């Protein structure tokens, strides 16, 4: 196991990204991710970051790399009384949002929209759209260098508020990633968790890829034991 001082950022394709959405191993991994989000306290981290932000309705929210939409559903259960009208677009390359999740979102009064597309293709075709908030969880760490810069540039063109919650790249997170089997994670998640930490962020690495420091307030911080977040707000 490499130590923090040796941990240069390393982005490696993750197993989940190579599996079809109907592959049982992928379905298992998406269930594992739900438990991981509980362990990582992702919902509370999201709530603290954006839960008090917008004060108008309806809200247009875009989630990048939304996976099975289960985090959106938990967020909706927590916030629907405060934000009664939300249109939540779930964008992912894989079509993994179950009908029951969509029904759950609708039952809160929110309107889910599923987009199955590559994030770069889709954002390049939708730069004229405006979203009140763009969020991403365990997604931005898939990208590096010019691709990461390109992603954040495209995001900054369509929203005044961006929040992402990514793996933190440090020794604690690395140890945690080797222990995800203890919460029942299967082989795909056990492998991807370790890769994710190596591809994770620390310090001001996300801010350094944001297209402009001018006209934006950037708050990049560690959250909980395992997460690293960026909250970018247009000033
Ligand atoms: C680690 S999973 C996280 C899923 C979800 N956000 C969560 O936290 O449970 C990363 C997700 O990003 C999606 N993804 C990866 N590359 C993508 C791309 N270029 N465009 C759209 N989605 C992508 C994958 O299909 C996968 O669902």
């Amino acid at each position: 196991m490499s130590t923090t001082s040796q941990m240069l950022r390393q982005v490696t394709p993750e197993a989940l990204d190579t599996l079809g959405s109907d592959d049982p191993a992928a379905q298992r991994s998406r269930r594992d991710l739900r438990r991981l989000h509980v362990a990582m306290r992702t919902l509370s981290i999201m709530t603290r970051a954006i839960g008090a932000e917008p004060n108008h309705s309806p809200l247009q929210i875009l989630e990048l790399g939304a996976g099975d939409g289960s985090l959106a559903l938990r967020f909706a259960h927590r916030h629907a009384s405060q934000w009664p009208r939300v249109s939540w677009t779930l964008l992912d390359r894989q079509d993994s949002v179950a009908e029951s999740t969509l029904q759950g979102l609708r039952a809160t009064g929110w309107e889910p929209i599923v987009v199955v597309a590559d994030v770069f293709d889709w954002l390049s075709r939708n730069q004229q759209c405006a979203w009140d908030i763009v969020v991403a969880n365990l997604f931005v760490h898939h990208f590096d260098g010019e691709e990461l810069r390109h992603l954040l540039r495209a995001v900054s063109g369509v929203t005044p508020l961006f929040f992402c919650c990514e793996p933190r790249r440090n020794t604690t997170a690395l140890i945690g990633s080797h222990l995800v089997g203890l919460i029942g994670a299967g082989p795909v998640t056990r492998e991807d968790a370790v890769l994710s930490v190596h591809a994770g962020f620390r310090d001001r690495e996300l801010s350094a890829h944001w297209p402009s420091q001018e006209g934006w307030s950037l708050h990049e911080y560690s959250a909980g034991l395992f997460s690293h977040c960026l909250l970018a707000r247009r000033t």
Side-chain angles (χ1 to χ4, degrees):
M1 193 186 301
S2 52
T3 64
T4 309
S5 58
Q6 295 164 332
M7 276 179 77
L8 293 175
R9 183 157 191 257
Q10 198 178 341
V11 178
T12 312
E14 294 176 21
L16 179 58
D17 295 331
T18 65
L19 300 170
S21 55
D22 53 357
D23 188 314
Q27 290 168 349
R28 162 106 194 250
S29 181
R30 293 199 188 277
R31 285 196 299 277
D32 295 343
L33 283 173
R34 290 183 215 160
R35 279 198 299 279
L36 274 185
H37 281 307
V38 172
M40 294 171 79
R41 312 202 68 242
T42 310
L43 184 61
S44 299
I45 292 169
M46 264 177 94
T47 292
R48 225 168 294 133
I50 61 168
E53 279 293 342
N55 53 11
H56 63 90
S57 181
L59 281 177
Q60 307 277 347
I61 300 180
L62 168 65
E63 182 176 3
L64 306 176
D68 67 2
S70 55
L71 206 51
L73 180 57
R74 289 177 64 211
F75 192 83
H77 282 147
R78 190 175 279 195
H79 292 280
S81 57
Q82 163 199 354
W83 301 340
R85 288 168 60 214
V86 170
S87 160
W88 190 294
T89 299
L90 302 141
L91 180 143
D92 201 287
R93 208 161 51 179
Q94 300 273 0
D95 186 3
S96 344
V97 187
E99 187 50 40
S100 56
T101 304
L102 297 175
Q103 280 171 10
L105 280 162
R106 288 187 200 107
T108 68
W110 289 13
E111 178 199 15
I113 299 167
V114 174
V115 175
V116 180
D118 176 81
V119 71
F120 294 103
D121 290 349
W122 193 80
L123 280 176
S124 69
R125 282 185 275 111
N126 288 277
Q127 278 290 296
Q128 76 292 352
C129 293
W131 308 91
D132 296 301
I133 312 177
V134 175
V135 296
N137 290 294
L138 302 183
F139 174 68
V140 176
H141 71 277
H142 284 73
F143 309 104
D144 197 9
E146 187 45 43
E147 217 176 23
L148 177 55
R149 231 169 257 118
H150 179 172
L151 174 69
L152 298 183
R153 195 181 316 118
V155 166
S156 73
V158 295
T159 190
L161 186 65
F162 173 66
F163 172 70
C164 68
C165 184
E166 299 298 321
R168 191 189 311 170
R169 198 175 77 255
N170 73 355
T171 306
T172 306
L174 189 60
I175 292 168
S177 71
H178 281 280
L179 297 177
V180 295
L182 293 178
I183 59 166
V188 169
T189 311
R190 291 204 298 272
E191 181 184 330
D192 284 353
V194 175
L195 297 179
S196 296
V197 170
H198 284 289
F201 298 99
R202 65 183 186 211
D203 304 324
R204 302 257 313 155
E205 289 175 342
L206 283 161
S207 306
H209 288 81
W210 193 258
S212 165
Q213 310 289 317
E214 259 177 53
W216 288 89
S217 145
L218 301 180
H219 178 35
E220 184 165 352
Y221 58 99
S222 300
L225 283 177
F226 308 116
S227 301
H228 185 89
C229 303
L230 175 68
L231 181 65
R233 187 187 291 109
R234 204 179 280 149
T235 53

